[in-house]
Amino acid sequence: MASERPLLIPSPRIPNTQELFTVPVLLDLFSGMESKNQAENSSSVEATLNSSSRRSVLSNQSKASAGNSIREVSFADMGSKPVRHGSRGADSEGLSMSQREFSDDDARLIYINDPLKTNERFEFAGNSVRTSKYSFITFLPRNLFEQFHRVAYIYFLVIAVLNQLPQLAVFGRGVSVLPLSFVLLVTAVKDAYEDYRRHRSDRIENNRLASVFVNDQFQLKKWKEIQVGEIIKIHASETLPCDIVLLSTSDPTGVAYVQTVNLDGESNLKTRYAKQETLYKMPDKEKVGGLIKCEKPNRNIYGFHANMEIDGKKLSLGPSNIVLRGCELKNTEWALGVAVYAGLETKAMLNNSGAPSKRSRLETHMNIEIIILSLFLIALCTVVSICALVWILRHREELDNLPYYRKRDYSETKEEDYNYVGWGWEIVFTFLMSVIVFQIMIPISLYISMELVRVGQAYFMIRDSEMYDEASNSRFQCRSLNINEDLGQIKYIFSDKTGTLTENKMEFQRVSIWGVDYSGANSQTEQVGYSVQVEGKDIRPKMKVKTDLALLRLSNSKNDTEERKHVHDFFLALAACNTIVPLVTDTSDPTVKMIDYQGESPDEQALVYAAAAYGFMLIERTSGHIVIDIQGERQRFNVLGLHEFDSDRKRMSVILGCPDKTVRVFVKGADTSMFSVIDKSLNMNIMRATESHLHDYSSLGLRTLVIGMRELSASEFEQWHSSFDAASTALIGRAALLRKVASTVENNLCILGSSAIEDKLQKGVPEAIESLRTAGIKVWVLTGDKQETAISIGYSSKLLTNKMTQIVINNHSKESCRRSLEDAIVMSKKLMTVDGVTDNTRGSSEAGRSPMALIIDGTSLVYILDTELEEQLFQLASKCSVVLCCRVAPLQKAGIVALVKNRTSDMTLAIGDGANDVSMIQMADVGVGISGQEGRQAVMASDFAMGQFRFLVPLLLVHGHWNYQRMGYMILYNFYRNAVMVFVLFWFVLYTCFTLTTAINEWSSMLYSIIYTSLPTIVVGVLDKNLSRRTLLKYPQLYEAGLRQECYNTKLFWLTMVDTLWQSVAIFFIPCYAYWDSTIDISSLGDLWILAVVILVNLHLAIDVIRWTWVTHAAIWGSIIATFICVVIIDCVPTLIGYWAIFEVSKTGTFWLCLLAIVITGLIPRFIVKYLYQYYSPCDVQIAREAEKLGNLREVGDVQIEMNPILDHPRR
């Protein structure tokens, strides 16, 4: 079995490197660096370097500070001040304390190994976690409170309460509350089961054991009993129970390796460091004490800001000194740490917010129809009340003796009046009773039906093998069940590039060194790889890299030429200026081992593998030095300083003490930031050549970095060291101070060259984009890459074509942006006029116009977004087929989405894979996260998650189309089936002196929406398919049915209501006139009516079913049979009104003839309208479905089918 361990060898003295510096001050300063197992190093080599194009890991808070990590190196023989090495100092505006500076008043005080004193003043949270929502006591009130947030539930509660009043009792008091109770019960049971699972998970988590220092020894203690301030010992492969600051590790240099897969999904090992001052403090051998002053709990998992006071020293703590709850200790035997955040205050729990909650566009539109139905209900009740008033006034003298309305009570010896309060109150009571009788006009079962249908739809989306990603072994995830149908109405897609359209797996392709382009024309396609000998083992890089033969010969050359020196410095920078951790893995050959470079940035990994291929192999990293094998000679470089990449500087630097007794700073970063710090007094020809090469590389879609270097004098280093020492211990403004310190060494650089890395397109991206655009969806790409890189990717992904007119906006002032926008709008109008497209034909297809592509950079957006220029940008962008935004920040991505979302009624979808895509994903109507190389931040913020961009095609064109069609039909059908019942009751009221007597048994009325008609609706909503997957994928234009809102719109609603009115007339009046002169009792007629309604609405549904399955047959015909059985059972109960009625009425032929006549009369108009509509004015879906029915898809496959145009939605 392959083993894996970090290649961190206790550094032996390297030949010829005993004396590092000739400068006297530095010679004394660094003379103590070579002692074996020195206690010189503490934290923090840990860095999150992102290349020039890689997006910052801190996302929707935009320029977020990741805090500061400090490394200290002390020198025993001199007793000089410690040398602290800083990392990221990006100051920023975030949401958490970790992203801002804090004062003493904001600080959290933790006394090391003294939990009692720590919790004396402020009792911090215990380590018990609770993800459940309810307790046994709070479940009922809290769950009911949450459910009654739905206004419809309050409506039905009021109805149930009104029915309890004697004056208004229409149904039995128990029966009236059953529908609402059933819906509440089903939802409560679902919520209770989900919460039970959370309780069980919490119980398992809280009862796990950890080794905690208690009573002068380490003892096993349950996680839930751990307190802030206690010292915890973690062993290899154990999970951390809380957030701890490292005190010591089994590694002599204080390094610990952790895996954060449970926190952010990243499987690469991260390095964390203990401080030098605490490295050898063992609580079981000596008393350990001190004070940690840190920020208050916050959600920023990438930042930590604190100081530690121990043995009279104040030490700075950063993100590389803290290990978070949920991380696993790897490749480290043990680690000691003090708990600083516990339980619900840990960063992991603060980020455990769950999936976002959104409401679908269809449900929002449905509320309008609900209001219309409510108004219609009020109208019906008003009509009944007015008619009742007229009737009462006309019959006021006869009220005492009328059979339907008796005022006087003759049952007693003494005659008494009924409780008659006058015609005014009688009308009020009549109105309220009408509301009770007609209450099902608002379908209470619709809400629970929609939830069940969405669950079923999500199940089939998750189980779809076409959306299963084998590479990551991940299935499609449906994190939000509320917006499944919105997937069928997407008009705009906003996509990230790196990791979303591309694989985010970097391959080193080209390099420019000292103005010479090594383009790889003579490259080796199969590079054996450089190898070194360590302890008799042959160690080779795990990844093979294509190399340029000329450059390889030059790097291997022993000639001491100027050209070779530049090559040497360039690859030394690639091997050293990073945070890569080398790990060794076994192979099947015991004499050969593979070195695997672990790092958070794929760019860094590619560069280090490239350096190894050219003979500069990084083989060892500790917290204070690195060892690089350079052409067979191991050389040790002391890492004297490290400034991590941040989104403000857009570069990274490392300060090395080199074997040739010099101190050098190596810097790499984005071209825009690097050229501003290059010494322009040097060879300008080299700089211009490098700029030309960078342009060529970007045009090929390659990701570029610029590398520079300079030597530091003793005085410069001393100045940097003292400045950094002051900045790293500052409580106020530390981030800004560290960034300022970095700028003192990151200037006047000598340019070494540039690198070019290829981030290949994901499989199927060009085809996916082409299908989406054919479907009428506009795809916009928002990326942090250079313009040339983004344009190149646009061509390779078929987003851009040669037929497009490109409009490029790159400006550096608001006024120039205004002029560019105005000129672009004028040009776009001219292009549209030339092609015969005017504003009067906005709804026409874009097929006839010359397509335009807008390309705009982040600098221009700074002056456009949130200003009056936004409107002009929208006007221009809406006329373009493609919009490509380059060099954009995370908040600018969200701003672009808001630009469209706030000005149109079109649905937007945002898709990304990184933390910097979170703001965009949350801003869009639908957010999709890619489970990629950059962790799970995007996934955790998304509504849906998947493994590849190409899965958008089946998600939208297939499942989105199906979900929208099913849900739209189901909503209209629910309105129809309930309205039919209400109209039948209404017609009966008109024939019973407006007394609101009901012919239909109260139990049948209650079961109508629960048993008689609910199941077929749900089954059809989950299983029906109006078109096959093959057809939908072959003709993407069919997706436009959702954009045109063909399945649910106001016109369809009113047509449905007209059909409902006609069917109710057939149901009521055919039996009414058939039995007009008979002596049939009211219960028998009521049984006939309820059976007729159930049969008719189920046959209505059966007519519209496209794909029949055995489940559909069972649901529809089973519901009809179940209705007969229920009616029989109800009429068999002697205590209920209508005892034995169904048996008497069903004996006659009139009963069955009435049922047949009702079905025929009620459905014939629907048949006729459907025939005429489909024959004379078929839609695209109907044409495709007809082709499927006839089996002619293969024959018509090559025929161009003209699809209906999409009408642009009105602007908001």
Side-chain angles (χ1 to χ4, degrees), residues 198-216:
R198 287 191 285 264
H199 271 286
R200 185 175 58 185
S201 175
D202 292 343
R203 187 165 55 250
I204 294 173
E205 186 83 355
N206 290 328
N207 289 320
R208 296 174 71 174
L209 299 176
S211 181
V212 182
F213 191 72
V214 181
N215 299 326
D216 298 327

Side-chain angles (χ1 to χ4, degrees), residues 77-377:
D77 57 340
M78 269 290 298
S80 69
K81 293 199 313 183
V83 181
R84 296 179 177 85
H85 307 280
S87 65
R88 180 161 24 201
D91 196 11
S92 112
E93 319 162 355
L95 298 178
S96 66
M97 279 297 302
S98 173
Q99 296 168 282
R100 304 192 301 265
E101 307 300 346
F102 66 95
S103 63
D104 288 343
D105 295 335
D106 297 322
R108 178 187 182 99
L109 304 180
I110 293 101
Y111 294 90
I112 300 174
N113 200 24
D114 193 348
L116 293 179
K117 188 175 181 181
T118 299
N119 293 273
E120 183 179 14
R121 183 181 175 190
F122 301 107
E123 187 173 348
F124 299 131
N127 201 41
S128 176
V129 298
R130 179 181 172 186
T131 60
S132 57
K133 294 173 60 178
Y134 312 105
S135 67
F136 184 79
I137 297 175
T138 63
F139 174 77
L140 188 60
R142 184 173 178 183
N143 186 263
L144 288 176
F145 176 76
E146 290 179 352
Q147 290 200 58
F148 277 104
H149 273 72
R150 280 181 166 164
V151 180
Y153 287 7
I154 298 177
Y155 162 77
F156 284 103
L157 178 64
V158 172
I159 295 295
V161 170
L162 289 176
N163 197 72
Q164 307 305 308
L165 302 177
Q167 297 92 335
L168 304 178
V170 177
F171 304 112
R173 295 183 178 181
V175 174
S176 64
V177 300
L178 279 179
L180 178 60
S181 300
F182 176 78
V183 173
L184 294 175
L185 178 63
V186 170
T187 305
V189 169
K190 176 180 73 73
D191 293 342
Y193 175 70
E194 291 177 352
D195 206 54
Y196 165 73
R197 294 177 61 184
R198 287 191 285 264
H199 271 286
R200 185 175 58 185
S201 175
D202 292 343
R203 187 165 55 250
I204 294 173
E205 186 83 355
N206 290 328
N207 289 320
R208 296 174 71 174
L209 299 176
S211 181
V212 182
F213 191 72
V214 181
N215 299 326
D216 298 327
Q217 62 179 342
F218 283 102
Q219 300 178 1
L220 290 179
K221 196 175 185 180
K222 291 182 178 179
W223 280 20
K224 64 182 179 181
E225 298 172 355
I226 294 174
Q227 294 179 287
V228 173
E230 290 184 320
I231 294 178
I232 303 169
K233 188 173 186 178
I234 308 297
H235 296 87
S237 299
E238 287 186 351
T239 303
L240 273 79
C242 57
D243 295 352
I244 68 171
V245 166
L246 282 179
L247 297 177
S248 180
T249 73
S250 58
D251 188 272
T253 62
V255 67
Y257 294 92
V258 296
Q259 192 175 62
T260 60
V261 66
N262 294 329
L263 193 64
D264 59 13
E266 297 182 7
S267 58
N268 290 336
L269 295 184
K270 315 293 191 304
T271 50
R272 298 293 182 263
Y273 299 91
K275 305 298 288 185
Q276 168 223 332
E277 286 77 3
T278 63
L279 192 55
Y280 295 103
K281 290 186 177 295
M282 301 297 170
D284 50 351
K285 296 180 181 179
E286 62 175 304
K287 182 174 178 58
V288 177
L291 174 65
I292 294 177
K293 186 184 295 184
C294 65
E295 59 193 351
K296 290 180 180 178
N298 59 76
R299 298 176 59 185
N300 182 17
I301 63 175
Y302 297 103
F304 179 63
H305 197 172
N307 284 324
M308 179 165 57
E309 298 176 7
I310 191 166
D311 295 339
K313 297 180 181 179
K314 179 183 282 189
L315 311 175
S316 179
L317 300 175
S320 65
N321 305 121
I322 187 172
V323 189
L324 306 183
R325 178 190 178 108
C327 298
E328 289 187 24
L329 190 67
K330 295 289 187 182
N331 299 319
T332 308
E333 187 178 342
W334 55 263
L336 289 180
V338 58
V340 290
Y341 305 120
L344 297 177
E345 292 181 344
T346 58
K347 294 179 182 290
M349 294 305 300
L350 290 173
N351 278 278
N352 188 21
S353 58
S357 178
K358 297 180 181 179
R359 295 186 65 192
S360 75
R361 183 68 58 86
L362 205 62
E363 188 172 348
T364 304
H365 196 284
M366 181 187 77
N367 289 336
I368 299 175
E369 275 70 45
I370 292 286
I371 293 173
I372 294 174
L373 290 175
S374 301
L375 296 175
F376 206 75
L377 173 64

Side-chain angles (χ1 to χ4, degrees), residues 108 227 352 620 757 759 865 1000 1176:
R108 178 187 182 99
Q227 294 179 287
N352 188 21
E620 176 186 344
I757 301 171
D759 188 7
L865 296 180
I1000 298 174
Y1176 291 103

